[in-house]
Amino acid sequence: MAAAAKKRSRGASSPVYLLLVFSLFSGGHSFSRQLVVELNPGSPFTPPGGELLHVRAVGDNDTLHFLFCSQGAPTLLLVHTNTSSSTVKVNWSQFVSRNHSGSLKVEPESSVLHSTAVVFSRLLEYDDVNDTAEPTSDLLPPYELQDFSWSRLRLSGPTALLCGAAAAFANGSLCLQLSVFESAGRGQSWPRLLHTANSSQVGVWIDGVLPRANRSRFLLELQAVGGAYPLSRVEVHRSIDDEFTPSIFKVSQWVSAENGSSDVLGFVQWKPVAYRQPAPTLEDATPCRHSDPRPQSGEAAAAASGLIRAFYGKTEAFGLNVSFGLAGEPFYDSTKFLSWTLLVGSGSPPMDSFSPLVLSMMAVGLGTPLILLLVGGVYVCVRKRAAASTATYEPIN
């Protein structure tokens, strides 16, 4: 009876064990934030020259403030505070003049733990005559995004779409789409980046832009601005699991950390892939590369972005380029479309673990040979024992 009870106990614990294993490897997180979306917070008028979106993501005892602005070059500012009651205050007359530091504040100022801003500063184009995908002396005059004509922000919940154009674009456009999240999840379309409640996603695409050369390729310049610890280094992590982004086994992370510390304060994360069609497929994927981050002029970043000037005083900046396409890949003119996706967040970047599908395949692949070896060993032992017993003499009656 006791043995039966023990057997029932083992049987009952098996589903619980399987559920625990699944929860450990599924990458899910129960943490969530309450989102409050506000366009041009506290403004008595529609600001000229660009708008300001504020998404307040409130946790149990902290707040993330996502500020997305089109005053000058498009900029995303993320401010992390240690209270759930912090607010954003804007002096609009100073803000739209774009020459006053401190015209945008997060209060109480003593609650600010960390801040990171990413400026989408320039779009560069080059004529890849020899199909080397090496932008050297063939760079064409850059598109300064601070000089673009930007549309009004189009909102859909915690998602905002911003599109702009230059005169040379003809009927084409450069668009950025910001999404902020209440909880952990994954993008619906490739590259299907894993996000948490501490991160936002920015999709960037070039659509219908008239190329200025027959073999044009593009680069996007990003500038990162921070307080004491700006984004200063890029880490590349590898994986053997490409279930969610087929053929891509790497993820790049541009991170900020305290000197001598391994704790990440903020990050920009992306997978090194772009797509040449609005509906991504494996056939339309094209690799992308990044340059090493280099120190930039904080004053130049502030001049390009009204949000940088408004929030920061003197600050450091780092910049890098993301180039799209490798040698032998189709040129931009093949589809006249290019999209790329990145995450911007606070704390450590989300990391993909092995999915249940991959784990089950590994279990089958590794477990089946072990079972065959075990069964084979038992069979050999039984055969040897049977052969030994038949070889002995039987007693004669």
Side-chain angles (χ1 to χ4, degrees):
M1 191 170 179
K6 185 181 289 186
K7 185 176 181 180
R8 284 196 301 269
S9 175
R10 285 199 301 266
S13 66
S14 297
V16 175
Y17 174 75
L18 291 174
L19 181 62
L20 177 60
V21 171
F22 180 81
S23 65
L24 285 173
F25 289 100
S26 62
H29 304 276
S30 58
F31 175 71
S32 63
R33 293 182 179 274
Q34 181 182 358
L35 303 183
V36 180
V37 181
E38 187 178 10
L39 185 61
N40 304 319
S43 176
F45 52 85
T46 301
E51 295 184 293
L52 174 66
L53 174 69
H54 175 215
V55 181
R56 190 167 175 261
V58 184
D60 295 333
N61 52 16
D62 70 338
T63 304
L64 293 176
H65 296 274
F66 295 90
L67 294 138
F68 187 49
C69 182
S70 57
Q71 288 271 345
T75 304
L76 175 60
L77 169 65
L78 172 55
V79 183
H80 185 201
T81 69
N82 63 6
T83 174
S84 57
S85 59
S86 58
T87 58
V88 168
K89 300 293 183 183
V90 184
N91 183 323
W92 280 101
S93 60
Q94 294 181 357
F95 185 82
V96 297
S97 69
R98 292 178 54 182
N99 58 8
H100 286 80
S101 176
S103 58
L104 184 149
K105 297 180 179 179
V106 174
E107 297 181 342
E109 293 184 63
S110 59
S111 69
V112 175
L113 298 173
H114 179 255
S115 65
T116 295
V118 178
V119 182
F120 298 84
S121 51
R122 295 198 300 174
L123 180 67
L124 300 106
E125 181 181 0
Y126 67 99
D127 187 5
D128 192 9
V129 177
N130 297 318
D131 193 13
T132 60
E134 294 293 339
T136 52
S137 59
D138 297 319
L139 277 172
L140 301 171
Y143 293 108
E144 301 287 346
L145 300 192
Q146 62 179 313
D147 298 329
F148 274 36
S149 298
W150 295 105
S151 66
R152 295 293 182 186
L153 287 168
R154 284 176 272 177
L155 302 183
S156 177
T159 298
L161 177 63
L162 175 69
C163 291
F169 273 19
N171 293 323
S173 61
L174 170 68
C175 295
L176 299 93
Q177 181 170 284
L178 170 72
S179 300
V180 182
F181 309 103
E182 292 181 343
S183 58
R186 192 178 293 278
Q188 295 301 308
S189 60
W190 289 351
R192 299 203 63 195
L193 295 178
L194 177 68
H195 60 255
T196 69
N198 292 333
S199 61
S200 62
Q201 179 174 288
V202 182
V204 184
W205 62 86
I206 309 167
D207 187 8
V209 172
L210 186 66
R212 292 176 288 176
N214 293 328
R215 295 190 167 194
S216 283
R217 298 193 192 276
F218 282 95
L219 302 89
L220 182 64
E221 181 186 88
L222 306 179
Q223 292 186 349
V225 180
Y229 307 104
L231 305 173
S232 58
R233 71 174 190 266
V234 175
E235 303 170 348
V236 178
H237 296 270
R238 290 171 172 80
S239 171
I240 64 171
D241 187 357
D242 71 337
E243 178 185 356
F244 298 106
T245 313
S247 77
I248 303 301
F249 298 92
K250 296 179 183 179
V251 61
S252 300
Q253 299 174 170
W254 192 8
V255 299
S256 68
E258 296 183 26
N259 296 330
S261 173
S262 60
D263 294 334
V264 174
L265 301 175
F267 65 88
V268 174
Q269 184 190 69
W270 67 89
K271 290 195 174 183
V273 61
Y275 295 94
R276 295 189 300 269
Q277 292 286 0
T281 63
L282 183 58
E283 293 76 16
D284 297 314
T286 186
C288 59
R289 298 172 295 172
H290 66 269
S291 63
D292 292 330
R294 294 183 177 180
Q296 305 285 317
S297 167
E299 281 299 312
S305 166
L307 186 55
I308 298 298
R309 175 76 73 191
F311 184 74
Y312 290 104
K314 291 184 178 180
T315 186
E316 290 186 79
F318 284 80
L320 60 74
N321 294 328
V322 178
S323 59
F324 306 103
L326 300 179
E329 290 285 315
F331 300 102
Y332 169 76
D333 193 44
S334 63
T335 61
K336 291 187 174 64
F337 184 89
L338 197 62
S339 69
W340 179 61
T341 306
L342 64 155
L343 292 181
V344 180
S346 177
S348 297
M351 292 298 295
D352 271 317
S353 58
F354 290 120
S355 67
L357 174 62
V358 172
L359 287 173
S360 62
M361 293 173 64
M362 291 172 64
V364 171
L366 296 175
T368 301
L370 291 176
I371 293 174
L372 291 176
L373 285 172
L374 180 61
V375 172
V378 171
Y379 176 76
V380 169
C381 290
V382 170
R383 291 284 295 177
K384 283 186 176 182
R385 184 179 293 272
S389 63
T390 56
T392 57
Y393 291 103
E394 295 290 337
I396 300 175
N397 292 330

